[in-house]
Amino acid sequence: MPLLDPALWQDGPTLTAGTAPVVEPATGRTLATVTLAGPADVAEAAVRAEAAQREWAGAAYTERAAVLRRAGDLFAVHAAELRDWLVRESGAVPGKAEFELRVAAQECYEAAALASRPAGQVLAGEAPRLSWTRRVPAGVVGVIAPFNAPLILSIRSVAPALALGNSVLLKPDRRTAVCGGLALAAVFAAAGLPAGLLHVLPGGAGTGSAVVSDPRVRVVSFTGATATGRQVAELAGRHLKRAHLELGGNSAYLVLADADVEAAVNQAAWGSFFHQGQICMTAGRHLVHASLYDEYVERLAAKAESLAVGDPYTEQVHLGPVIDRGQLDRIHGLVEASAERGAKLMAGGTHRDLFYRPTVLAGVVDDTPAYAEEVFGPVAPVRSFVTEDEAVALAAAGPYGLSLGILTADTARGLELADRIPTGIVHVNDQTVNDEAVAPFGGVGASGTGARFGGEANLDAFTELRWTTARRTPAAYPF
């Protein structure tokens, strides 16, 4: 029996902001119709979530953990169905969709383990009393997730928040409302999650603002563009609530003089072209030692030309479509502007419908648009350096600090260089795009508020630390 039934999403009984088509980027076909949520729907969902959360927080940790484990199992049971939705709705190639499903299951298993983690510690004190800390659920958690890895970037907050005793309002991107939202609702319902704890609210900016500003929502988990993240942070701050922000990036990939060029190019192609470059960790600035530069550019351009681009649902391809026309126009505009300012187009720079060819730009400088800005498309700008100090300065320049890749025969030297570059994530002898459920994830600067997702970071993200004391007899005071 299918887990997802598109007929159930039409004219939803609790959402009132109209409907929207679920569009397949590769073909333009409408796959289904979803009901949208408006601010009034957010307020109603928050009331229900707050009421359901009280009982859920008081449930035995074994009960919460069991639901999360069953949810993890269901991602495997329904993998074929969910994979097809990821491929068709988000434009992912099958391998990327399968990776999302594996990570989603692992996020649930890791979250299940959080439910039984020590809840606090006993503190030393001067007074004759017992003093201790205890982690308590934050309450209602708002999760706002993007389109590019819709399942992972929703589940990584939803699962730990639920496991730790919270309820959740989830606003997926409207373009991936099924695999980033409704699929999670179906999985958790089948896993036995009590009603009222997870509300999926597809909608636009007004819906997101309502989630952030609702007084019942105490913590906001946002993944998306830096400009939008700033707005979320400002709105959350106005309401004195925590906002955990994982934002954009323009990550540097350093190829040192002793690196193996073939290995470097293999990694670079993955780091820049995986999922059409629509990954926050994408290698957006290739910094290559001058002695390797010409060979590196030539090989990377040849690799780009060899990659197949097409419909990932009907063809065997390396790259699928970008998400929509707006994204395509932004990518192509940055490439054209870069060429006009002197960058040399070594490969790509063309498209058919939403299928953009993997692109290599050489001779970029500080103000080359595709080098200075986050492209969020399959574009690899390449720049040379001479000294390691120059490489560090180039990698550290700019507002972002999400991920860093360094390729070198001397691992210790790579680690030393990494310590001089502000970033949330470092990979020595690997490219910039990596993710694991057990690892803390986040960036610094314009890339966000640090590692607030994954591993033990989830404990801090989705609980409050409460100090409690107890005395045998009432305390006496001087007046």
Side-chain angles (χ1 to χ4, degrees), residues 304-329:
E305 295 288 4
S306 73
L307 299 177
V309 181
D311 184 345
Y313 189 63
T314 60
E315 306 171 57
Q316 191 169 16
V317 297
H318 300 99
L319 283 75
V322 297
I323 192 66
D324 61 18
R325 185 74 198 190
Q327 185 64 21
L328 179 103
D329 289 345

Side-chain angles (χ1 to χ4, degrees), residues 26 31 36 44 49 89 91 132 180 213 233 240 253 312 337 355 409 422 454:
L31 302 175
L36 302 178
E44 180 183 347
E89 186 184 27
W132 71 97
S213 59
L240 299 178
Y253 176 59
F355 303 102

Side-chain angles (χ1 to χ4, degrees), residues 161-189:
L162 290 173
L164 292 167
N166 302 285
S167 56
V168 175
L169 306 186
L170 169 61
K171 194 204 86 65
D173 191 296
R174 290 199 312 184
R175 292 167 290 185
T176 50
V178 177
C179 49
L182 296 168
L184 276 74
V187 165
F188 278 105

Side-chain angles (χ1 to χ4, degrees), residues 96-163:
K96 191 260 190 182
E98 290 162 3
F99 172 74
E100 284 208 54
L101 287 165
R102 289 196 301 272
V103 172
Q106 195 60 36
E107 290 283 1
C108 289
Y109 299 141
E110 291 294 328
L114 290 177
S116 60
R117 292 296 300 272
Q121 58 184 173
V122 177
L123 304 176
E126 295 181 359
R129 63 189 180 189
L130 181 62
S131 177
W132 71 97
T133 61
R134 178 188 171 205
R135 290 190 179 275
V136 297
V140 182
V141 172
V143 178
I144 302 175
F147 71 85
N148 56 317
L151 183 55
I152 290 177
L153 299 180
S154 293
I155 196 69
R156 72 173 180 184
S157 293
V158 170
L162 290 173

Side-chain angles (χ1 to χ4, degrees), residues 7 18 38 58 123 189 198 244 264 273 296 322 335 417 440:
L123 304 176
L198 175 59
H244 304 301
F273 305 143
Y296 181 93
V322 297
V335 170
L417 291 179

Side-chain angles (χ1 to χ4, degrees), residues 15-20 35-39 41 174 202 207:
L15 302 182
T16 61
T19 61
T35 307
L36 302 178
D41 300 310
R174 290 199 312 184
T207 305

